Amino acid sequence: MYVSLANNVDSFREREREREAQTGRASACFSLEMEQTNAAASSAKPIRCRAAVSRAAGQPLEMEEVEVAPPRAHEVRIKIICTSLCHTDITFWRMEGLHPSIFGHEAVGVVESVGEHVREVAVGDTVVPVFTAQCSECPDCLSDRSNICSKLPDVHGFMPRDGTTRFSSASTGEPIRHFLSVSSFVEYTVVDVSHVVKLDANFPPAMACLLSCGISTGVGAAWKVAAVEPGSSVAVFGLGAVGLAVAQGARMRGATRIIGVDLNPDKFDVGKRLGITDFINPNDTGGKTVSEVIKEMTGGGGADYCFECIGSASVMAEAFQSSRMGWGKTILLGVIGSMAPIGIPPQDLLPGRSVIGSLFGGIKPKNDIPMLAQKSWSWRSS
């Protein structure tokens, strides 16, 4: 699901030129030269625009006029072109203590202005904002073993470098919180440059949004976290955008049997096109557990790789029980809104099975998203 917020990038740029001419800003700010970009940043003004604001946990979002402050040092202000809805937005929307907030974290947009010290993107660039940072300097960013930036951790509702917000109510001046360092349910947003990835301007916006989270998370989990091997068996629990992306990634890695588990039978036809070979509806197992069915389908051993893409402690435990003794690996991708523990008996781990968490599919956004964008054209036609 996605929402288009502008017809196309070219029309946006033309409107920006007209607006800036009327306000006395030089049209040269659209040049990619750094001196002109910095000049544009220094003259950036607050922008009033529309946003879908969450005022209370679980309550309908309210369309409001908000004021978006200019970007500060190391920050980028983006005109959102297209945004999509991820289930993680819903999970956090239901939580207390996070409001008022502007949710949304899957999007694509065009750089409207930049703050000081921004070098890697310029005004007019097409970019994808992402919820994980990549400073490219800290030990984690420099290591192949992690994609969790230790220099700029998530500060839950505010900009990562100074702990303040760039959003406020246009009518009252009340501060409004950011969400996952992106906040895309708004016409303009401000993002730290460590959370921004430049893309080709011709890349389809509806596809680009999903690179912000869903597609990257699923494909990355199959490729980087699990490292699915040719000829292996895979079980995917939950066939939303992330689960379907896992299936696609597993197919491209050479998995020969990919089992999809979902309560919605409508997902099955879509799944076939993306690599799923077998389907299980937990309501149609004749009283057997899903893990029992998967073991029967795999000759009694269980799947080599199991991916939980829902965010349920009980499903995580069932995914683990569906994995093969000796080398079965269970990868957890779903976001849980509660603190419920996972019920896995310790003795079931001793025979060699393992459980591993996967945030954003192990993807390093600035390194890997451009590569995924290139490959997506072949996935689309396959």
Side-chain angles (χ1 to χ4, degrees), residues 324-329 348-354:
R324 184 181 182 87
M325 290 285 187
W327 62 72
K329 182 181 290 187
D348 287 350
L349 291 165
L350 293 177
R353 292 192 286 186
S354 62

Side-chain angles (χ1 to χ4, degrees), residues 110-179:
V110 176
V111 175
E112 178 270 341
S113 57
V114 300
E116 294 180 348
H117 311 306
V118 172
R119 299 290 183 266
E120 59 190 271
V121 297
V123 171
D125 284 346
T126 298
V127 295
V128 169
V130 292
F131 69 92
T132 57
Q134 185 179 346
C135 73
S136 302
E137 300 173 352
C138 70
D140 290 80
C141 286
L142 294 174
S143 171
D144 291 336
R145 296 176 292 179
S146 172
N147 70 331
I148 311 300
C149 179
S150 51
K151 178 180 178 180
L152 295 169
D154 181 30
V155 291
H156 303 294
F158 303 98
M159 298 300 292
R161 297 180 193 262
D162 63 10
T164 62
T165 178
R166 303 294 172 266
F167 299 124
S168 61
S169 169
S171 60
T172 66
E174 173 193 17
I176 300 175
R177 296 167 63 102
H178 294 252
F179 177 65

Side-chain angles (χ1 to χ4, degrees), residues 177-198:
R177 296 167 63 102
H178 294 252
F179 177 65
L180 291 183
S181 301
V182 175
S183 289
S184 60
F185 294 169
V186 61
E187 292 178 299
Y188 289 84
T189 190
V190 178
V191 180
D192 192 275
V193 70
S194 64
H195 291 266
V196 172
V197 179
K198 183 177 177 180

Side-chain angles (χ1 to χ4, degrees), residues 329-354:
K329 182 181 290 187
T330 302
I331 300 89
L332 308 182
L333 291 84
V335 177
I336 298 180
S338 68
M339 299 299 290
I342 305 173
I344 297 177
Q347 61 269 24
D348 287 350
L349 291 165
L350 293 177
R353 292 192 286 186
S354 62

Side-chain angles (χ1 to χ4, degrees), residues 83-89 92 104-108 128-132 147 179-180 182 184 197 206-221 240-243 245-246 333-335 358-363 365 369 372:
T83 186
S84 53
L85 176 66
C86 175
H87 196 272
T88 301
D89 295 307
F92 282 88
H105 66 282
E106 288 186 336
V108 63
V128 169
V130 292
F131 69 92
T132 57
N147 70 331
F179 177 65
L180 291 183
V182 175
S184 60
V197 179
M207 294 175 63
C209 326
L210 298 176
L211 294 175
S212 284
C213 180
I215 299 302
S216 299
T217 297
V219 173
V242 173
V246 168
L333 291 84
V335 177
S358 174
L359 183 66
F360 201 36
I363 289 292
I369 287 180
L372 288 175

